[in-house]
């Protein structure tokens, strides 16, 4: 496995400015970055995977994130199977709080046992430390303004396209 190739996995339901911050910074650290929309068996989704993928692609393009970035989705099995397929040696996750540490640590340990893959944690820019997809989903579903928390293309989509989902 190649430690210069990394995967940033997540539900991205929807993509937030916090996600974009992690993606931008990870793209500077690695030669090839796979940003991967993954089905989380433990969460009820708001958006279909294809929609999240499209919003993620548009958000990355809109923000002009530089680097060798491949955006994809994975619902065929374990995350580490995808990592193996693309020869990635690293998973990158954002860690906002102790709650995230508690949530992410077991996954990092299990993934290392499954595939000898390392997980690298990036601390968020403080501006995004409180932003989460679940809060965005809640604010959007109750008619609030999510503009401060998500890329413009996502804000527009949630304001218009997602009605009726
Ligand atoms: O954004 P999320 O929901 O916190 O991302 C979690 C995700 C999707 C990365 C995680 O649920 C995952 O890796 N799912 C794929 C299934 C898998 O490989 N499970 C074992 C991981 S320990």
């Amino acid at each position: 496995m190649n430690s210069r190739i990394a995967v940033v996995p997540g539900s991205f339901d929807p993509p937030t400015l916090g996600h974009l911050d992690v993606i931008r910074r990870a793209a500077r650290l690695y030669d090839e970055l796979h940003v991967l929309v993954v089905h989380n068996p433990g969460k009820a989704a708001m958006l279909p995977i294809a929609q999240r993928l499209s919003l993620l692609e548009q958000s990355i393009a809109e923000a002009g994130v530089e680097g060798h970035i491949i955006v994809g989705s994975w619902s065929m099995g374990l995350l580490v199977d995808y990592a193996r397929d693309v020869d990635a040696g690293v998973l990158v996750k954002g860690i906002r709080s102790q709650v995230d540490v508690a949530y992410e640590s077991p996954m990092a340990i299990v993934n290392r046992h499954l595939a000898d893959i390392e997980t690298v944690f990036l601390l968020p820019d403080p501006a995004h430390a409180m932003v989460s997809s679940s809060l965005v989903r809640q604010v959007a579903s109750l008619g609030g303004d999510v503009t401060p928390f998500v890329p413009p293309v996502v804000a527009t989509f949630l304001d218009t396209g997602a009605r009726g989902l």
Side-chain angles (χ1 to χ4, degrees), residues 16-97:
T16 67
L17 290 177
H19 291 135
L20 214 46
D21 174 48
V22 169
I23 292 164
R24 185 184 288 108
R25 288 158 55 204
R28 285 199 210 117
L29 293 173
Y30 297 96
D31 296 338
E32 183 178 310
L33 192 70
H34 294 255
V35 182
L36 197 66
V37 180
V38 187
H39 172 64
N40 183 337
K43 285 184 185 169
M46 172 178 75
L47 302 174
I49 285 192
Q51 187 65 64
R52 295 182 237 162
L53 179 65
S54 164
L55 289 171
L56 201 49
E57 280 171 338
Q58 293 177 71
S59 301
I60 290 168
E62 182 180 62
V65 181
E66 289 180 9
H68 182 186
I69 300 176
I70 296 142
V71 185
S73 66
W74 183 246
S75 51
M76 305 286 289
L78 290 169
L79 170 61
V80 294
D81 293 335
Y82 176 90
R84 256 199 218 104
D85 281 358
V86 298
D87 200 28
V90 180
L91 304 174
V92 178
K93 299 281 193 87
I95 285 283
R96 290 161 301 191
S97 66

